[in-house]
Amino acid sequence: MISSMARQMGDSHRRFLQTMMINGITDEHSVKALYQYCCEVNKTPHVPDKLDEFIDTINSKLQAMFMQIRKGMSEVDGHQYYVLVNMAETNITRMSSDYADNELELFRKIVDLTVCSENGKVSSTDILNITDTMTTKKLKKSETEHLLSRLVQDKWLCEERGEYTLSARCIIEMEPYIRTMYQDHLKVCHICHSLAFQCQICENPTCGIKIHNPCVARYFKRRTEPRCPSCDDFWPHEIPEVR
């Protein structure tokens, strides 16, 4: 149980929170460096393995404002990221100050396609095709391409060779929305128990567990014969390298 002393917000916590508010999504390495910097500047003890406790103290104060610093994994590189999330807005309405109604409609359709796809990816061609199904003002090809660039720049989507995936920021911030809207399509990683979109699936029909690509890389590292951690069947997929 965390003591009341540990729960008290100090200047180091406030500086940390202010920086998180400015930075938005931040990778784990930078968060650890920020934690150390805030402690040193404000002359408070820096205990490296107490980062989670430090953030819990901030979150206990943010609770009344329906905000929280949350952690999640990027499906692209397997790294952990931290995001300051507004819990009062659990869906895409949080983006309404930055995007027009028709842009948000297309983003919803992109999330639809991605969540319901087999590999967690959607092509630029598929995205251009779904603009025909829009009920708000249809976006032109050039407008759609510009929107996709913005969504990548704002870290809602990732793009590689013309294929789009949900970013770490999107998965962390939109998780309540995704869990509510796509209950029948959700995949959960057997290793880390987080939502999984880019994952490998056990081919044993009585098993069928899913594992994130980065979790696959870490779990099967140094194992001579990869076997399913649930049913012990041979794991037939190519094992990605640990990044």
Side-chain angles (χ1 to χ4, degrees):
M1 186 173 175
I2 298 173
S3 68
S4 58
M5 182 64 72
R7 282 287 185 189
Q8 290 178 1
M9 280 268 282
D11 289 338
S12 55
H13 297 92
R14 280 184 277 274
R15 185 184 291 268
F16 184 95
L17 177 57
Q18 286 166 355
T19 308
M20 286 296 296
M21 291 173 84
I22 294 165
N23 290 355
I25 185 165
T26 309
D27 66 84
E28 186 175 40
H29 177 77
S30 301
V31 165
K32 287 179 177 178
L34 175 62
Y35 167 48
Q36 181 176 351
Y37 171 76
C38 291
C39 290
E40 289 173 354
V41 166
N42 292 285
K43 297 180 172 57
T44 54
H46 168 246
V47 186
D49 62 356
K50 296 285 187 182
L51 172 62
D52 287 346
E53 199 172 295
F54 182 85
I55 290 174
D56 282 344
T57 300
I58 297 171
N59 280 339
S60 69
K61 300 302 177 188
L62 290 176
Q63 205 169 3
M65 294 174 277
F66 301 102
M67 299 189 80
Q68 185 183 40
I69 296 172
R70 296 180 65 185
K71 181 169 77 168
M73 184 186 73
S74 163
E75 295 194 324
V76 176
D77 58 23
H79 295 160
Q80 296 291 331
Y81 288 83
Y82 290 76
V83 183
L84 180 63
V85 178
N86 184 341
M87 306 298 285
E89 298 175 327
T90 55
N91 58 32
I92 291 170
T93 56
R94 74 182 70 220
M95 299 166 65
S96 58
S97 59
D98 299 317
Y99 295 91
D101 287 346
N102 57 345
E103 293 175 329
L104 290 179
E105 185 190 356
L106 183 56
F107 179 64
R108 279 192 191 91
K109 289 181 180 294
I110 294 169
V111 173
D112 270 343
L113 280 180
T114 309
V115 173
C116 299
S117 70
E118 286 189 8
N119 62 0
K121 298 178 180 181
V122 58
S123 71
S124 53
T125 306
D126 288 336
I127 294 170
L128 288 168
N129 287 339
I130 58 169
T131 58
D132 291 332
T133 66
M134 291 176 66
T135 55
T136 53
K137 185 185 175 186
K138 184 182 170 183
L139 290 165
K140 298 173 186 172
K141 182 174 183 286
S142 59
E143 291 171 330
T144 302
E145 289 168 346
H146 177 66
L147 173 62
L148 288 171
S149 295
R150 280 181 61 206
L151 289 167
V152 171
Q153 188 178 342
D154 292 344
K155 299 178 181 176
W156 291 111
L157 297 177
C158 297
E159 186 273 335
E160 189 174 3
R161 293 191 292 272
E163 289 189 311
Y164 292 84
T165 56
L166 303 185
S167 68
R169 177 190 183 184
C170 183
I171 294 168
I172 296 168
E173 290 205 38
M174 299 290 181
E175 182 172 344
Y177 170 81
I178 292 169
R179 285 189 180 274
T180 302
M181 296 298 292
Y182 304 99
Q183 292 178 26
D184 296 337
H185 295 280
L186 286 185
K187 298 190 282 278
V188 176
C189 178
H190 182 81
I191 302 295
C192 72
H193 310 296
S194 299
L195 292 179
F197 302 102
Q198 297 179 67
C199 59
Q200 295 183 1
I201 301 174
C202 176
E203 293 186 353
N204 180 346
T206 62
C207 179
I209 64 159
K210 293 89 178 170
I211 308 179
H212 276 129
N213 291 348
C215 292
V216 166
R218 282 194 286 265
Y219 181 80
F220 290 118
K221 187 182 179 185
R222 299 192 192 95
R223 291 173 193 260
T224 51
E225 189 179 41
R227 291 196 166 274
C228 174
S230 179
C231 71
D232 204 40
D233 266 21
F234 178 73
W235 195 264
H237 308 288
E238 183 181 343
I239 309 301
E241 290 184 14
V242 178
R243 296 199 183 190

